[in-house]
Amino acid sequence: PIQELLGLQVGLALHDLGQAVDEDVGDVVVAGMDAAYPPFGFQNSKAGTYVGFDVDVIRAIGKAEGFAVDIRNMAFDGLIPALKTGNIDIAINDITVTPERQKSVDFSDRYYIAGLGVVVAAGNNTIKTAKDLEGRKLAASIGSTGEIAAKAIKGADVRIFNQLNECFLELRNGGVEAVVNDIPTNDYYVANAGRGRVKSLAVALTAEDLAIAVKKGNTDLLARVNRGLRTIKRNGEFAVIYKKWFGKEPPKALFE
């Protein structure tokens, strides 16, 4: 029957999106992220699927609100333009809430409290404080708050890269002396791909709220995201996800 054929086609389409299809799932929400920001979002090289804290959070919100999530991988600086044009519905990618960004998109309640930190070569003993970054060769990813902070450092020679992993590669090759980026991502890189080659400094340049972005004026979707986020915070699922990726309980401030 044609109904069964159409049902099969829809099922296959959702399968192609890499989603687990539930019978009670309603619409599909397209979530954009630059899958090069572990532990927030990255690609499992063996399975080819997207994993990370942000991936788990948005999927949990979707489950709570009855929508499936289609993850779209794109450059970080293209996320807000993609929201504006409607190519994606949501952007979740370790995105800091800033006054400038609030002019372009609407943000959900915060789901992570972050800060900018610094990564240097393992043998670098000359950079220990924020002031030590003055006049240095620094790297940051394009469109990030790390770029803004790095460019504000007195006398710094700031080199901007399309992807964060390119920043770390430039550091390891000696092209820059430090990378300015979010502390959780820094720590993850140092503990994994950069183990023994680089180190993360206990220098918190800023304190920042991370949130999920939607197109300006999309109040319905924003309400669903916030409601779903409140649900997973209340039922304990958020804490499980947080501990899975960061090895500790989420701060109480996230539940206020």
Side-chain angles (χ1 to χ4, degrees):
I2 186 66
Q3 291 89 346
E4 292 183 7
L5 177 60
L6 289 174
L8 176 60
Q9 289 174 335
V10 171
L12 289 174
L14 285 174
H15 181 270
D16 288 341
L17 294 177
Q19 312 302 321
V21 182
D22 298 321
E23 290 183 0
D24 60 347
V25 166
D27 50 330
V28 177
V29 171
V30 180
M33 67 171 56
D34 185 343
Y37 281 77
F40 290 96
F42 56 107
Q43 192 166 27
N44 181 313
S45 58
K46 292 183 179 178
T49 55
Y50 298 114
V51 296
F53 176 67
D54 284 350
V55 176
D56 286 353
V57 166
I58 195 57
R59 291 204 191 285
I61 289 173
K63 182 180 178 181
E65 283 297 304
F67 60 79
V69 179
D70 171 16
I71 302 293
R72 297 281 177 86
N73 186 12
M74 58 180 62
F76 184 86
D77 63 327
L79 291 173
I80 289 179
L83 280 175
K84 289 181 176 181
T85 58
N87 288 337
I88 60 174
D89 302 307
I90 282 173
I92 178 168
N93 194 176
D94 184 10
I95 302 174
T96 303
V97 179
T98 67
E100 188 63 28
R101 287 173 179 164
Q102 286 176 314
K103 296 176 184 178
S104 302
V105 298
D106 288 333
F107 282 105
S108 70
D109 298 333
R110 64 183 179 180
Y111 71 100
Y112 192 89
I113 301 172
L116 286 174
V118 178
V119 175
V120 299
N124 187 324
N125 296 313
T126 60
I127 298 177
K128 298 179 180 178
T129 67
K131 188 169 180 58
D132 293 335
L133 295 172
E134 295 180 0
R136 304 281 186 169
K137 293 180 180 179
L138 309 177
S141 58
I142 189 169
S144 67
T145 51
E147 176 185 357
I148 297 171
K151 287 182 175 178
I153 295 172
K154 184 179 178 180
D157 175 9
V158 184
R159 301 181 184 181
I160 307 302
F161 295 87
N162 289 327
Q163 294 190 329
L164 180 60
N165 59 348
E166 294 173 332
C167 297
F168 288 130
L169 181 60
E170 187 72 1
L171 173 65
R172 285 166 53 177
N173 290 338
V176 294
E177 298 169 90
V179 174
V180 180
N181 182 64
D182 297 309
I183 292 173
T185 309
N186 290 348
D187 291 347
Y188 186 90
Y189 179 79
V190 169
N192 291 276
R195 181 185 292 273
R197 301 179 181 181
V198 296
K199 61 184 178 182
S200 181
L201 300 181
V203 177
L205 300 179
T206 61
E208 307 169 342
D209 288 335
L210 305 188
I212 301 164
V214 303
K215 186 176 183 178
K216 198 77 175 173
N218 193 343
T219 55
D220 290 343
L221 181 55
L222 184 62
R224 295 179 76 184
V225 168
N226 278 330
R227 187 169 58 234
L229 182 57
R230 287 193 297 270
T231 297
I232 65 173
K233 284 182 178 181
R234 187 172 56 248
N235 67 19
E237 189 171 2
F238 179 83
V240 171
I241 294 170
Y242 194 100
K243 193 170 183 178
K244 169 185 174 182
W245 291 105
F246 301 109
K248 57 185 178 182
E249 296 291 334
K252 293 181 179 180
L254 282 177
F255 297 87
E256 295 174 353

